[in-house]
Amino acid sequence: MRPEIVRIRELMERQGYVTDAPVATAVYLATALGKPLLVEGHAGVGKTEVAKVLAAALDTPLIRLQCYEGIDAAAALYEWNYAKQLLHIRLSDHESRSIDQRESEIFSRAFLLERPLLQAITSEGRPVLLIDEVDRSDEEFEAFLLEVLSDFQVTIPEIGTIHARERPYVVLTSNRSRDLSDALRRRCLYLWIGHPSLDKELRIVRAKVPAIGERLAREVAVFMQSVRELELAKRPGTAETLDWAAALVALHADAIDEEIVRETTGCFLKEESDHRALAAELDAGRLAAMLSP
């Protein structure tokens, strides 16, 4: 592995993020080339953590734009603080100034509410801009986002064009609830994060739940690998593995048995049909097989 990739991997692991060569390489290239990094994968596999850990490793601010259905440019870029503008107008009613003067005052930076995209553009230094779950936004917003990411400048009619002093590091995440445009994909480097291997999941459990015993950590990792092989509506991710491991530690468990699995299934399965699927495996006496690597 190249020295620069090893360094990125070490920096990320110091922040508690168990990584591998593909992830470390993608993060390094995104920072070295100044290109956005699109991270796709199942829910709960650590996509958002890539941006959080990168910001911590580089000791730079993290600016997060959480996408949702119906998000528009105003929510992502800027809005005017209408309440503050109105208050200013009322307080200055007695002063004799022209309409143009009043407008130039209330439509100035002092009355601007900066949303995440504008914050990233105006920020000093190079923050990490996390555009989370971009697939939840619509195609119109995606086109707007593509325009901003192309040159990192924004034109505000009342103020003018604002350019980024330095381009932020950009990480976009997607759960693939819809297909993103080819234009956005071409703009970005790409990283797919799947469910971890047994060895990687065990490392993650040890790192994130340090109070867990070695036997229990291994059984948790092996069992979760088996659970993902079942026909489930929503396969649990690494986040659910960690939730379950922490719950077992809180219950002072030192090993997994049928009773504790049934009592804590809600920590890692979130659909009623999935609960029934796992219960059927337990009823059929398959727990021992699910605990065998």
Side-chain angles (χ1 to χ4, degrees):
M1 194 183 302
R2 295 178 181 275
E4 55 269 29
I5 308 302
V6 172
R7 178 177 173 274
I8 286 291
R9 184 170 181 172
E10 290 174 348
L11 284 173
M12 295 181 74
E13 298 215 352
R14 280 180 207 156
Q15 302 300 324
Y17 188 88
V18 177
T19 187
D20 50 29
V23 174
T25 301
V27 170
Y28 169 74
L29 290 175
T31 57
L33 301 177
K35 291 180 68 70
L37 176 62
L38 172 60
V39 186
E40 287 194 321
H42 305 292
V45 295
K47 302 184 298 297
T48 300
E49 285 297 309
V50 170
K52 293 180 178 180
V53 169
L54 177 60
L58 298 177
D59 192 24
T60 193
L62 173 71
I63 299 174
R64 180 174 183 172
L65 172 62
Q66 177 63 55
C67 296
Y68 52 86
E69 186 177 351
I71 188 173
D72 58 11
L77 196 56
Y78 74 91
E79 290 181 286
W80 290 108
N81 190 335
Y82 297 117
K84 188 176 178 180
Q85 286 174 322
L86 182 59
L87 178 61
H88 180 80
I89 291 171
R90 288 178 176 175
L91 291 176
S92 59
D93 273 346
H94 63 283
E95 300 175 11
S96 58
R97 271 179 282 185
S98 68
I99 294 177
D100 287 343
Q101 287 176 319
R102 286 174 180 263
E103 285 186 352
S104 65
E105 287 179 356
I106 63 173
F107 289 106
S108 63
R109 293 287 289 271
F111 296 89
L112 195 65
L113 294 175
E114 295 187 357
R115 300 309 185 197
L117 291 181
L118 186 56
Q119 289 174 14
I121 289 172
T122 60
S123 177
E124 295 184 3
R126 297 187 69 182
V128 174
L129 172 61
L130 168 61
I131 303 173
D132 215 5
E133 298 183 309
V134 66
D135 54 315
R136 296 181 62 185
S137 64
D138 57 28
E139 294 178 2
E140 182 179 353
F141 180 78
E142 187 182 323
F144 157 75
L145 191 60
L146 189 63
E147 182 180 351
V148 174
L149 294 179
S150 66
D151 50 20
F152 286 97
Q153 67 178 35
V154 172
T155 299
I156 301 174
E158 298 85 353
I159 294 177
T161 301
I162 300 175
H163 303 265
R165 297 184 182 92
E166 293 187 78
R167 290 195 170 210
Y169 303 106
V170 181
V171 177
L172 303 93
T173 72
S174 167
N175 293 328
R176 301 202 69 175
S177 61
R178 71 170 179 86
D179 290 333
L180 301 177
S181 70
D182 289 340
L184 182 61
R185 290 183 179 278
R186 287 196 302 270
R187 177 71 60 184
C188 305
L189 298 176
Y190 182 78
L191 173 65
W192 169 265
I193 299 181
H195 292 300
S197 65
L198 173 58
D199 288 344
K200 185 176 180 180
E201 190 152 31
L202 181 55
R203 290 172 60 209
I204 292 171
V205 171
R206 288 170 179 157
K208 294 293 189 179
V209 191
I212 196 169
E214 180 60 28
R215 176 185 174 183
L216 182 59
R218 179 165 290 277
E219 288 187 347
V220 165
V222 170
F223 185 80
M224 292 302 287
Q225 296 280 319
S226 298
V227 167
R228 294 190 190 107
E229 294 178 359
L230 302 177
E231 291 295 328
L232 301 177
K234 291 187 178 179
R235 287 181 172 81
T238 312
E240 285 72 32
T241 300
L242 296 176
D243 286 345
W244 191 39
L248 295 177
V249 170
L251 293 172
H252 306 290
D254 53 15
I256 292 175
D257 56 34
E258 183 177 330
E259 180 182 4
I260 204 163
V261 171
R262 292 185 186 273
E263 290 176 351
T264 58
T265 303
C267 293
F268 56 90
L269 294 181
K270 312 298 172 136
E271 293 283 343
E272 189 272 337
S273 61
D274 293 344
H275 279 246
R276 285 190 279 108
L278 178 57
E281 294 294 308
L282 298 177
D283 292 342
R286 299 195 182 99
L287 178 62
M290 297 182 73
L291 290 172
S292 298

